[in-house]
Amino acid sequence: QRVNVTVRSGLPMVLSGSAEPCAQLVVSSIGVVGTAEQNKGHSARFFDVLKAQLGLGPERIVIRFFPLEPWQIGKNGTVMTFL
């Protein structure tokens, strides 16, 4: 209920100067991705899944974490602050 996933395959991408297959994962969440310690654990788990599912080496994957505030997410005609 709290996770949304968008997959865009076939996009032309360059990572570290190479156009070899790669992936970028963008993770945004309220209160879950706010610290280096939290993101270290999330990163390890996401890398395991992405490596297994996509067959990519870890050097071909980048993860970007964005902590959000409840007022930045709209849902059910309001914002998460009020839900």
Side-chain angles (χ1 to χ4, degrees):
Q1 183 177 1
R2 301 268 179 171
V3 176
N4 299 300
V5 177
T6 301
V7 176
R8 295 186 209 161
S9 62
L11 292 176
M13 294 176 59
V14 174
L15 179 61
S16 301
S18 169
E20 291 297 314
C22 61
Q24 174 179 259
L25 175 64
V26 178
V27 179
S28 58
S29 183
I30 299 167
V32 178
V33 297
T35 69
E37 286 302 316
Q38 286 175 316
N39 294 346
K40 182 179 177 183
H42 299 316
S43 184
R45 289 187 296 278
F46 283 131
F47 266 85
D48 287 344
V49 170
L50 292 171
K51 289 186 305 183
Q53 294 295 315
L54 302 176
L56 297 173
E59 72 284 355
R60 300 303 301 154
I61 300 169
V62 134
I63 301 173
R64 296 175 20 193
F65 294 99
F66 292 95
L68 298 173
E69 296 296 326
W71 56 267
Q72 294 175 303
I73 302 296
K75 187 173 180 180
N76 294 336
T78 186
V79 292
M80 293 299 291
T81 303
F82 303 107
L83 295 176

